[in-house]
Amino acid sequence: MTQKHALDYFFKPHSCAVVGASKDPAKPGHQCLAAMIRAGFSGELYPVNPREQEILGLRSYRSLSQIPGPLDLVVLCTPVEVMYDVLDDLGERAQTRGDVKAMVVTTAGFSELCTEEGVARQATLVKRLSEYGVRLMGPNCLGVIDTRGKVDTTFLLGVDMTPGGISFVTQSGALGAWFVQAWSSHPGPVGFSKMVSLGNMADVDIVEVVQYLGQDDTTTVIGLYLEGTSDPRALLEAASEAARRKPVIVLKTGRTSEGERAASSHTGSMAGKDQIWDGAFRQYGVLRVHTMDALLDAMRSFDKLPLPNGNRLFVITHAGGPGVYTTDLVFETGEVVLSTVGEEVKQNLKRRLPPHANVCSPDGLIDMTASGTVAQHAWATEYLLSQPEVDGAMVMDMQIPFFSVAQLSRELGETYRRLRENGVSKPLLAVMMHGRWAQEGRAIFEAAGVPTYDSPDRAVAAFRNMVRYASIKRRLANRQRRIEGWEAPSGVPRMLTETAAQVLLEKYGVRFPATKSASTLDEAVSAARQLGFPVVMKVLSPDIAHKTEVGGVCLDLRDEDAVKRAYAKMLENVRKKAPGALIEGVLVQKMVTGGVEMIVGGLVDPSFGPVIMAGSGGILTELLKDTVFRLAPVDREEAVSMLQQLKGYKLLSGFRGKGPYDAGALADLIVRLSELLSKEKIKEVELNPVKVLEEGCIAVDALISA
Amino acid sequence: MTQKHALDYFFKPHSCAVVGASKDPAKPGHQCLAAMIRAGFSGELYPVNPREQEILGLRSYRSLSQIPGPLDLVVLCTPVEVMYDVLDDLGERAQTRGDVKAMVVTTAGFSELCTEEGVARQATLVKRLSEYGVRLMGPNCLGVIDTRGKVDTTFLLGVDMTPGGISFVTQSGALGAWFVQAWSSHPGPVGFSKMVSLGNMADVDIVEVVQYLGQDDTTTVIGLYLEGTSDPRALLEAASEAARRKPVIVLKTGRTSEGERAASSHTGSMAGKDQIWDGAFRQYGVLRVHTMDALLDAMRSFDKLPLPNGNRLFVITHAGGPGVYTTDLVFETGEVVLSTVGEEVKQNLKRRLPPHANVCSPDGLIDMTASGTVAQHAWATEYLLSQPEVDGAMVMDMQIPFFSVAQLSRELGETYRRLRENGVSKPLLAVMMHGRWAQEGRAIFEAAGVPTYDSPDRAVAAFRNMVRYASIKRRLANRQRRIEGWEAPSGVPRMLTETAAQVLLEKYGVRFPATKSASTLDEAVSAARQLGFPVVMKVLSPDIAHKTEVGGVCLDLRDEDAVKRAYAKMLENVRKKAPGALIEGVLVQKMVTGGVEMIVGGLVDPSFGPVIMAGSGGILTELLKDTVFRLAPVDREEAVSMLQQLKGYKLLSGFRGKGPYDAGALADLIVRLSELLSKEKIKEVELNPVKVLEEGCIAVDALISA
């Protein structure tokens, strides 16, 4: 007998008590008990209600302590005021029997209220359950559904308990309900393994559940609805670990609600929490989607289908318009393409399909026309899925007068099942665009392992997500994530002088242009002469972060006269625009000409810890917000992927006859800066701009606050 | 009796013959006749089939000529080979009775085959029908459905003939089927007026149908599925005329399939047909959507709801997660916001709603929590829709244990109906996220005039489209579109010299920097001295379009030495990179410093005629493809809207302490260039860059090909 995991008692308990069970169908305690019965729970089920003898045909108990047999799981559905009595009762049972292992508290009225009373109540609940050795799900949650454990602690109507491989974990009960009800309304049965509504996460939290599901053999795909978590790195680590074996798909909301941080650098002002989340999901191999429909579709597609080996989709339809429409969709993001098969394959298709069929124009698309038969559909699907140039196929089916949709689904479903049995491991997706007239055909397809979609939009999006995860999986297989300790920043940020910043950065291999400091005009002129023209001159002041904005930077000074004029002008500007600032002199710097301007920075975020940013420089930084984030430290491969994600990457790789520039050197710089962020006690760093040259890269300006 | 429009005979014929009617349920001729009967056609219905006495209970005729009564409409469903016999028969009837006015040809096998035979067949069909005075819909189409005329020439199953205001016109029969079947599968009845499947448009084309629907009183909203048309301006004009009175929504495909044009300028290379369509739709007030679902949702929302006066949406829900999720959606594009109501309103809400309800945090959102009652929902909806700060409301409804969804729908529907009767003219949208358990509630809502959606995504998109059209309608009310004649470009493009181009452009008020031409080094130096440093020098050659790319441009020459060095270097570059080019000398130009670089251009497209483009200059042009198009000429308001549509608009309006720059002068330049394009015989023009200064703007480089 293998040892039970603590969470097993939620998903496969041998016995369960529903406290607050009721005869009144409007009460959650009634609905929960009814749900357990409907789910077919096969263990002992005990209603607890001191005022009833029997509820829904089951003997009702006065208290937990009176339940005679062993008890694994308790579900609390009472009004919140009753909680203290229940805890006393549970405490008594803990002393006498000590058998209860898990408790789902669906009741609301805890810290989600943001009142002192609610917070205190939750603290009591946690403390006492911990004393009794009882793990807590919730409070303020729907709890769990497990199709194999036949457990359902929710009050949802009509849950379809067909077992499958999908597990969905949600920080919103309502989104859990959406999931279950969308599922159970699907034309064909879509099996799932578990639904977990976490509620306030007073004890069992999202990290532990993701770890558990990562190890759970009945779970083939994990979906997450995430609003936030106190330890993002732990969640990402757990998700990444699971993602090595099965897709982890997240719908993360709160994109617009998280405030911008007060910041003294671009890095800071760009580092919205959502931008960091976005970068971290990529980094850790978590597939992000932005709508509930996309999440639902992705989960069921992954559960039913094998992963594609590449991104080449073949589309088979019998009408022109949907073909044109789908071609647009396929090419929308550039991640999926229509597949190009060889000339011989095209000739064979032309020979076997209706005379006026539109074959491979464009490549990767067949429009059979309305005269295509069921047999021709089945043959073409089988033939194309056997071609090495095809990574997946999509059939699109309209209602047409000449054959029955059910017949098509049956033949195609059979064909696909045979292909799978013969070892062809490629996805087939079916689009059925005729509303309720498609239901029968969809059910037949689904039963044969072919997921169906009511629009090509949804099918193409599902295939795209499969392509993304296939690539994530390959990548994760070759990498070891490492988590490093870090300390939350504290104290008031203090800006290092430019010179101090350079010294620290040079330790990490950051190169700067030759620079001299000068405290008089004569010194400045002489410095410029020694460095060689053209030069750049900047005011040197610990009080000024953005020198350009106070007129404290002069570029491209080509001779001594220019240096003299600039010196006077600059001091005048700064005195006017930053009257209180201490001016220590100027820096004279050899001007770097040519290359592409980029920005690299980083900061220590209170919840994410050190994060590193790369972006397009100059006006592009703010105009496009063309920046990407990752959690630091990053390795070189990750640094390269950051650069590739930028719109400005085109500039680096060569553009309009210029370049290519040394993106490799920039990637190395990112790696080293990410190490600095992880090791040194600083709050924020920014190199802006970094000039990326044909060989090497050089930081023109640097800011560090510690 | 008002005179009948030629197209009336398709939509409200008094009598109809189905040629090719059949007893075999698999034949289109059977399905079409059955559809007419199911539709409840109340005029005379005549099956024509020489081999039958009776079909589906109706007397069958041997030929059209033998039909005794008057005959308006003929539907042809025979195999294509029979067409010639039918035409002879029709010709005979034309001579003897002359009554047939309209013919729908559903049969395929015409010019869509792209074979000589097919094209010839179509030409014969058109010619002979024209001789007989019969208008033709198709061939290769589904024909028409009209819920009031009770006509249905399609073979679609289960068409719900509930009359409503939506008319859908489609260039793809399959998309027409999708429309009808999505409609008829909707939880509540969604009435429509007409579905028109145009097929090959051999006679009746999309322009004529849009004009007709624009005038049609039963049509409140027009939806178009468009793949292409030979006369885009005529279609845009018709759509724009209709859009003054009712929304015209288009789904235009072929975004990725249209080839890029071979081009000698950026303007040309950016001018993909889809980019021109996109600009033209905005210009002409046609609302563009990109998915079929968005089209379907927009049409039914417009049909049911009054237009909002502004973009401020209030969201009422009873769960947290969906609220967070919806907040993200609302702010996604910036076109819609959550509304902010006053403090007193917030206090009233707090007083009347459940104690733990989340009221206006964020603004514009109420989460009632699961304890909100039906009465509280109804009261809050009514109260909020009565506030001047609220332009529309959305209720989001999950299945919760404490009340019935049907009851909520009934009360809210009743509330909304009363509000509408009392003159409150604001939209209310209902989101019902619980799959098939929502069907009853949705039907009740829909019957009360509240459209329902199965996700907040779809409802927010629908509201956004209503906001867009409300703005379009205000704009169209104040404007008169003008169409001007233009000639398609012909002959080989010939590049004007820079000087000739400048002369022509100056006629239209385009300003250039002071410039002198020089044919020797000495002349160049002297020119620079006269103009004043710094100067720019460019090679002068009729053979070189992109001077920069052959090293034929030198910027920022600050003294005579620099001019001398640049002169030598430039000639060397050009001789190396463009060895055959005739070099006439150099242009020396006063250098324009400061300002923002933009690009303005235009070309005469073979189908759209003259089009004008504006875009961000410098690297942004190609890196971001940040360009927008309109059909020329444009007025100043349109020119301003072009600039506002650019990502680079931020640069013009002031950015990082620089600017604002004279966007007004740039708009004037666009207007004048659009006039030049409409009046002069040129093929392409490009000003790149145009420097927009704090006052005025100045073209630094110009290209014209004629």
Side-chain angles (χ1 to χ4, degrees):
Chain A
M1 185 183 138
T2 56
Q3 209 188 332
K4 268 196 160 184
H5 188 287
L7 298 192
D8 284 344
Y9 295 97
F10 289 102
F11 301 109
K12 28 192 173 181
H14 290 300
S15 47
C16 171
V18 176
V19 181
S22 164
K23 284 192 161 172
D24 177 355
K27 291 271 166 63
H30 178 90
Q31 294 164 349
C32 171
L33 187 67
M36 285 296 288
I37 295 169
R38 271 200 309 268
F41 182 61
S42 56
E44 291 301 321
L45 187 57
Y46 305 109
V48 177
N49 182 333
R51 287 183 306 279
E52 303 288 352
Q53 298 296 315
E54 164 277 321
I55 304 172
L56 286 168
L58 296 169
R59 185 190 151 182
S60 174
Y61 291 85
R62 293 187 56 78
S63 67
L64 290 168
S65 347
Q66 291 191 348
I67 292 173
L71 182 58
D72 287 346
L73 172 68
V74 173
V75 183
L76 185 71
C77 306
T78 63
V80 70
E81 300 75 26
V82 183
M83 177 192 85
Y84 295 96
D85 295 339
V86 176
L87 285 177
D88 290 343
D89 181 16
L90 190 65
E92 203 180 314
R93 184 163 184 116
Q95 281 196 322
T96 53
R97 305 282 298 258
D99 53 355
V100 178
K101 298 290 193 306
M103 185 163 178
V104 169
V105 178
T106 65
T107 309
F110 295 85
S111 59
E112 81 278 5
L113 300 181
C114 300
T115 61
E116 254 178 62
E117 190 190 10
V119 171
R121 204 180 271 144
Q122 183 161 318
T124 304
L125 177 66
V126 170
K127 181 163 169 291
R128 298 209 27 203
L129 291 188
S130 153
E131 282 167 25
Y132 309 148
V134 176
R135 298 299 309 272
L136 165 66
M137 180 89 66
N140 185 30
C141 70
L142 297 182
V144 305
I145 305 178
D146 187 302
T147 54
R148 290 181 183 80
K150 297 188 195 302
V151 171
D152 179 357
T153 72
T154 75
F155 53 74
L156 300 171
L157 289 174
V159 177
D160 176 347
M161 294 289 285
T162 306
I166 298 156
S167 287
F168 180 59
V169 186
T170 174
Q171 288 187 320
S172 155
L175 274 283
W178 188 356
F179 163 82
V180 168
Q181 296 185 325
W183 242 228
S184 308
S185 304
H186 198 74
V190 183
F192 70 100
S193 175
K194 299 174 177 59
M195 194 285 288
V196 187
S197 158
L198 294 163
N200 295 1
M201 304 200 302
D203 173 17
V204 174
D205 76 351
I206 192 163
V207 177
E208 189 175 1
V209 174
V210 168
Q211 281 165 339
Y212 179 80
L213 295 176
Q215 302 291 339
D216 175 32
D217 289 339
T218 68
T219 297
T220 58
V221 44
I222 302 173
L224 301 177
Y225 170 75
L226 177 68
E227 293 183 351
T229 168
S230 58
D231 188 352
R233 286 200 182 224
L235 173 60
L236 289 160
E237 194 65 22
S240 192
E241 190 51 41
R244 290 167 173 272
R245 286 183 303 278
K246 52 191 90 170
V248 179
I249 315 162
V250 66
L251 177 65
K252 164 79 178 69
T253 53
R255 301 205 296 276
T256 48
S257 60
E258 319 224 30
E260 296 289 303
R261 71 186 77 213
S264 57
S265 70
H266 295 296
T267 309
S269 66
M270 299 280 171
K273 292 275 187 209
D274 195 70
Q275 257 223 317
I276 301 179
W277 273 114
D278 208 71
F281 288 138
R282 287 172 189 260
Q283 184 174 8
Y284 283 81
V286 180
L287 189 64
R288 186 179 195 178
V289 294
H290 288 290
T291 68
M292 194 62 187
D293 282 346
L295 179 59
L296 294 170
D297 286 343
M299 290 192 290
R300 62 193 182 86
S301 311
F302 281 117
D303 185 41
K304 275 210 153 71
L305 295 175
L307 287 179
N309 289 315
N311 67 345
R312 298 164 302 175
L313 182 66
F314 206 105
V315 176
I316 299 162
T317 177
H318 48 218
V324 179
Y325 182 83
T326 304
T327 304
D328 279 0
L329 294 171
V330 166
F331 287 105
E332 214 153 35
T333 69
E335 294 166 275
V336 172
V337 297
L338 290 175
S339 42
T340 302
V341 294
E343 204 44 50
E344 197 191 321
V345 175
K346 288 181 190 173
Q347 289 311 323
N348 283 338
L349 288 165
K350 279 181 189 154
R351 211 163 19 244
R352 297 279 298 258
L353 299 181
H356 298 305
N358 186 347
V359 173
C360 296
S361 162
D363 267 321
L365 180 77
I366 289 175
D367 167 12
M368 299 247 181
T369 74
S371 54
T373 64
V374 167
Q376 284 168 324
H377 275 82
W379 172 79
T381 304
E382 178 161 8
Y383 183 59
L384 286 163
L385 279 177
S386 309
Q387 302 307 319
E389 299 86 357
V390 175
D391 297 314
M394 179 174 134
V395 289
M396 285 209 287
D397 185 28
M398 273 63 58
Q399 180 226 327
I400 57 171
F402 309 105
F403 61 75
S404 110
V405 168
Q407 197 193 335
L408 179 74
S409 306
R410 209 166 290 118
E411 288 248 4
L412 268 178
E414 202 38 63
T415 301
Y416 187 59
R417 202 182 341 230
R418 198 175 54 242
L419 280 171
R420 293 290 303 271
E421 282 166 11
N422 294 338
V424 173
S425 181
K426 299 177 180 180
L428 174 66
L429 305 92
V431 178
M432 316 278 281
M433 296 154 68
H434 39 298
R436 60 190 165 96
W437 292 273
Q439 304 298 295
E440 186 194 353
R442 290 184 71 167
I444 294 169
F445 260 135
E446 300 273 355
V450 180
T452 63
Y453 309 84
D454 58 12
S455 71
D457 310 69
R458 297 180 70 156
V460 170
F463 184 72
R464 186 179 292 129
N465 280 325
M466 299 186 78
V467 169
R468 282 179 190 159
Y469 176 66
S471 145
I472 286 172
K473 197 174 178 186
R474 283 191 295 273
R475 185 165 61 83
L476 290 181
N478 303 322
R479 302 182 78 184
Q480 199 63 46
R481 286 248 60 80
R482 54 192 166 139
I483 277 253
E484 312 218 345
W486 56 275
E487 280 175 37
S490 64
V492 179
R494 185 181 51 83
M495 188 79 67
L496 270 60
T497 62
E498 184 148 358
T499 317
Q502 288 200 11
V503 169
L504 180 55
L505 288 160
E506 278 167 353
K507 236 179 74 184
Y508 285 85
V510 179
R511 284 176 55 214
F512 291 92
T515 303
K516 291 177 177 291
S517 61
S519 45
T520 66
L521 174 58
D522 284 348
E523 280 178 33
V525 171
S526 132
R529 211 183 304 124
Q530 286 169 45
L531 291 165
F533 295 99
V535 298
V536 173
M537 197 158 56
K538 307 177 199 174
V539 70
L540 190 56
S541 164
D543 303 325
I544 300 173
H546 293 292
K547 303 180 183 77
T548 308
E549 285 165 21
V550 297
V553 177
C554 288
L555 303 176
D556 197 17
L557 306 173
R558 301 197 187 176
D559 52 34
E560 295 189 8
D561 272 2
V563 170
K564 286 176 190 161
R565 281 194 305 273
Y567 189 92
K569 180 71 186 162
M570 211 163 69
L571 292 191
E572 186 193 326
N573 285 342
V574 172
R575 285 200 191 99
K576 205 180 297 165
K577 295 207 182 163
L582 169 70
I583 299 177
E584 300 175 342
V586 297
L587 282 179
V588 185
Q589 207 171 55
K590 176 100 181 115
M591 176 152 149
V592 184
T593 53
V596 173
E597 287 195 359
M598 304 292 288
I599 174 172
V600 180
L603 50 78
V604 182
D605 178 89
S607 53
F608 287 95
V611 297
I612 178 97
M613 180 203 81
S616 297
I619 52 167
L620 295 180
T621 315
E622 284 179 78
L623 183 64
L624 305 183
K625 298 197 189 306
D626 188 23
T627 54
V628 297
F629 286 81
R630 297 288 188 273
L631 307 196
V634 295
D635 60 17
R636 195 167 190 281
E637 187 184 344
E638 195 67 53
V640 170
S641 96
M642 292 174 78
L643 297 178
Q644 286 169 344
Q645 200 189 325
L646 292 170
K647 296 190 192 79
Y649 183 67
K650 282 192 233 168
L651 298 178
L652 284 176
S653 48
F655 193 65
R656 295 189 71 181
K658 289 181 186 168
Y661 299 98
D662 197 345
L666 183 60
D668 289 334
L669 174 64
I670 292 168
V671 171
R672 290 193 303 268
L673 205 70
S674 82
E675 279 164 14
L676 181 152
L677 274 159
S678 318
K679 290 182 184 158
E680 305 285 341
K681 288 223 171 303
I682 65 163
K683 293 198 173 68
E684 215 167 316
V685 56
E686 180 165 293
L687 310 180
N688 182 20
V690 175
K691 287 263 199 173
V692 186
L693 307 174
E694 293 187 6
E695 205 162 318
C697 66
I698 194 160
V700 175
D701 208 349
L703 271 182
I704 291 186
S705 72
Chain B
M1 183 182 137
T2 57
Q3 210 190 328
K4 268 197 158 180
H5 189 287
L7 299 192
D8 284 344
Y9 295 96
F10 289 101
F11 300 109
K12 30 191 172 179
H14 290 300
S15 46
C16 171
V18 176
V19 180
S22 165
K23 285 192 162 173
D24 177 356
K27 290 273 164 64
H30 178 92
Q31 294 164 348
C32 170
L33 187 67
M36 286 296 288
I37 294 170
R38 272 199 309 267
F41 182 61
S42 56
E44 293 300 323
L45 186 58
Y46 305 109
V48 177
N49 181 334
R51 285 181 308 278
E52 303 289 350
Q53 298 296 315
E54 166 273 322
I55 304 172
L56 287 168
L58 295 170
R59 185 189 150 183
S60 173
Y61 292 84
R62 293 188 54 79
S63 68
L64 291 168
S65 348
Q66 290 191 349
I67 293 172
L71 182 58
D72 286 348
L73 172 67
V74 173
V75 183
L76 184 72
C77 306
T78 63
V80 71
E81 299 74 27
V82 183
M83 176 192 86
Y84 295 95
D85 295 340
V86 176
L87 286 177
D88 290 343
D89 180 17
L90 189 66
E92 201 180 316
R93 183 162 185 117
Q95 280 195 323
T96 53
R97 306 281 297 258
D99 53 356
V100 179
K101 298 291 194 304
M103 184 162 177
V104 169
V105 178
T106 66
T107 308
F110 295 86
S111 58
E112 82 279 5
L113 300 182
C114 300
T115 61
E116 252 178 63
E117 190 189 10
V119 171
R121 205 180 267 144
Q122 182 161 321
T124 303
L125 176 66
V126 170
K127 181 163 168 291
R128 298 207 31 200
L129 291 189
S130 153
E131 281 168 26
Y132 309 149
V134 176
R135 297 301 307 273
L136 164 66
M137 180 88 68
N140 184 31
C141 69
L142 297 183
V144 304
I145 306 178
D146 187 302
T147 54
R148 291 179 182 81
K150 296 187 196 302
V151 170
D152 179 357
T153 73
T154 76
F155 53 75
L156 299 171
L157 288 174
V159 177
D160 176 348
M161 295 289 286
T162 306
I166 297 156
S167 288
F168 180 60
V169 186
T170 175
Q171 288 187 320
S172 154
L175 275 282
W178 187 356
F179 163 83
V180 168
Q181 296 186 325
W183 242 227
S184 307
S185 305
H186 198 73
V190 184
F192 71 100
S193 176
K194 298 173 178 60
M195 194 285 287
V196 187
S197 158
L198 293 163
N200 295 1
M201 303 201 301
D203 173 18
V204 174
D205 76 352
I206 192 164
V207 178
E208 190 175 2
V209 174
V210 169
Q211 282 166 338
Y212 179 80
L213 295 175
Q215 302 291 340
D216 175 32
D217 290 338
T218 68
T219 297
T220 58
V221 44
I222 302 173
L224 301 178
Y225 170 75
L226 177 67
E227 293 184 351
T229 166
S230 57
D231 188 353
R233 286 201 182 224
L235 173 60
L236 289 160
E237 194 66 21
S240 192
E241 190 52 40
R244 291 168 172 272
R245 287 184 303 278
K246 53 190 88 171
V248 179
I249 315 161
V250 66
L251 176 66
K252 164 79 178 72
T253 54
R255 302 205 294 278
T256 48
S257 59
E258 317 226 29
E260 294 290 303
R261 72 186 77 213
S264 57
S265 70
H266 295 297
T267 310
S269 66
M270 300 280 171
K273 291 276 186 205
D274 195 71
Q275 257 224 317
I276 302 178
W277 273 116
D278 207 71
F281 288 138
R282 286 171 189 261
Q283 183 175 12
Y284 283 81
V286 179
L287 189 63
R288 186 180 194 176
V289 293
H290 288 290
T291 68
M292 194 64 188
D293 282 347
L295 178 60
L296 294 170
D297 286 343
M299 290 193 289
R300 62 193 181 87
S301 311
F302 281 118
D303 186 41
K304 276 212 154 68
L305 296 174
L307 286 179
N309 289 314
N311 67 346
R312 298 164 303 175
L313 182 66
F314 206 104
V315 176
I316 300 161
T317 178
H318 48 218
V324 179
Y325 182 81
T326 304
T327 305
D328 279 359
L329 293 172
V330 166
F331 287 104
E332 212 154 38
T333 70
E335 293 166 275
V336 172
V337 298
L338 289 175
S339 42
T340 303
V341 294
E343 205 43 52
E344 197 191 322
V345 175
K346 288 181 190 174
Q347 289 311 323
N348 283 338
L349 288 165
K350 280 180 188 155
R351 209 159 26 241
R352 296 279 297 261
L353 297 183
H356 298 306
N358 186 348
V359 174
C360 296
S361 163
D363 268 321
L365 180 77
I366 289 174
D367 167 12
M368 298 248 181
T369 74
S371 55
T373 63
V374 168
Q376 283 168 323
H377 275 83
W379 172 80
T381 304
E382 178 160 9
Y383 183 59
L384 286 164
L385 279 176
S386 309
Q387 301 306 319
E389 298 87 358
V390 175
D391 297 314
M394 180 172 131
V395 289
M396 284 208 287
D397 184 28
M398 273 62 58
Q399 180 224 328
I400 56 171
F402 309 106
F403 61 76
S404 108
V405 169
Q407 196 192 338
L408 179 74
S409 305
R410 209 167 288 117
E411 287 247 6
L412 268 178
E414 200 41 61
T415 302
Y416 187 60
R417 195 166 8 215
R418 197 173 57 244
L419 281 170
R420 292 289 303 271
E421 281 166 13
N422 294 340
V424 173
S425 181
K426 298 177 182 180
L428 174 65
L429 304 91
V431 177
M432 316 277 281
M433 295 155 65
H434 39 298
R436 61 193 166 94
W437 293 273
Q439 303 297 296
E440 185 193 355
R442 291 184 70 167
I444 295 169
F445 259 135
E446 299 274 354
V450 179
T452 64
Y453 309 84
D454 57 13
S455 71
D457 310 68
R458 297 181 68 155
V460 169
F463 184 72
R464 187 177 292 132
N465 280 324
M466 299 186 79
V467 168
R468 283 179 191 160
Y469 176 67
S471 147
I472 286 172
K473 196 174 179 184
R474 283 191 295 273
R475 184 165 61 84
L476 289 181
N478 303 322
R479 302 182 78 185
Q480 198 62 46
R481 286 249 60 81
R482 55 192 165 133
I483 276 254
E484 310 217 346
W486 57 275
E487 279 174 38
S490 64
V492 180
R494 187 180 51 82
M495 189 79 68
L496 269 61
T497 63
E498 182 147 0
T499 317
Q502 289 201 9
V503 169
L504 181 55
L505 287 160
E506 278 168 351
K507 238 178 75 183
Y508 285 84
V510 178
R511 283 176 56 214
F512 290 92
T515 302
K516 289 177 180 290
S517 61
S519 45
T520 66
L521 174 59
D522 284 350
E523 280 179 35
V525 171
S526 134
R529 209 183 304 124
Q530 287 171 47
L531 292 165
F533 294 98
V535 297
V536 172
M537 195 159 56
K538 306 176 198 174
V539 70
L540 191 55
S541 164
D543 302 324
I544 301 173
H546 293 293
K547 301 180 185 74
T548 309
E549 287 166 18
V550 297
V553 178
C554 288
L555 304 176
D556 197 16
L557 305 174
R558 301 195 187 178
D559 52 34
E560 295 188 9
D561 273 0
V563 170
K564 285 177 193 160
R565 280 194 304 273
Y567 190 91
K569 182 70 187 159
M570 210 163 70
L571 293 191
E572 187 193 326
N573 285 344
V574 173
R575 284 201 192 100
K576 203 181 297 167
K577 295 207 180 164
L582 170 69
I583 300 176
E584 299 176 343
V586 297
L587 283 179
V588 184
Q589 207 170 52
K590 177 103 181 110
M591 176 151 151
V592 184
T593 54
V596 173
E597 288 196 358
M598 303 292 287
I599 175 173
V600 180
L603 51 79
V604 182
D605 177 89
S607 53
F608 287 95
V611 298
I612 177 98
M613 180 203 82
S616 297
I619 51 166
L620 295 180
T621 315
E622 285 178 76
L623 183 64
L624 305 183
K625 297 198 189 306
D626 189 24
T627 54
V628 297
F629 285 81
R630 296 289 188 273
L631 307 196
V634 295
D635 60 17
R636 196 167 189 283
E637 188 184 341
E638 195 66 54
V640 169
S641 94
M642 291 174 76
L643 297 179
Q644 286 169 343
Q645 201 189 321
L646 291 171
K647 296 190 192 80
Y649 183 67
K650 281 193 233 164
L651 298 178
L652 284 175
S653 49
F655 193 66
R656 297 190 68 181
K658 290 183 184 165
Y661 299 97
D662 197 345
L666 183 60
D668 289 335
L669 174 65
I670 292 168
V671 171
R672 290 194 303 269
L673 204 69
S674 82
E675 279 164 14
L676 180 151
L677 273 161
S678 318
K679 289 181 184 156
E680 305 286 341
K681 289 222 169 304
I682 66 162
K683 295 195 172 69
E684 215 167 316
V685 57
E686 180 165 292
L687 310 180
N688 182 19
V690 175
K691 287 264 199 173
V692 187
L693 306 173
E694 293 187 5
E695 206 161 318
C697 65
I698 193 160
V700 175
D701 207 347
L703 271 182
I704 291 186
S705 71

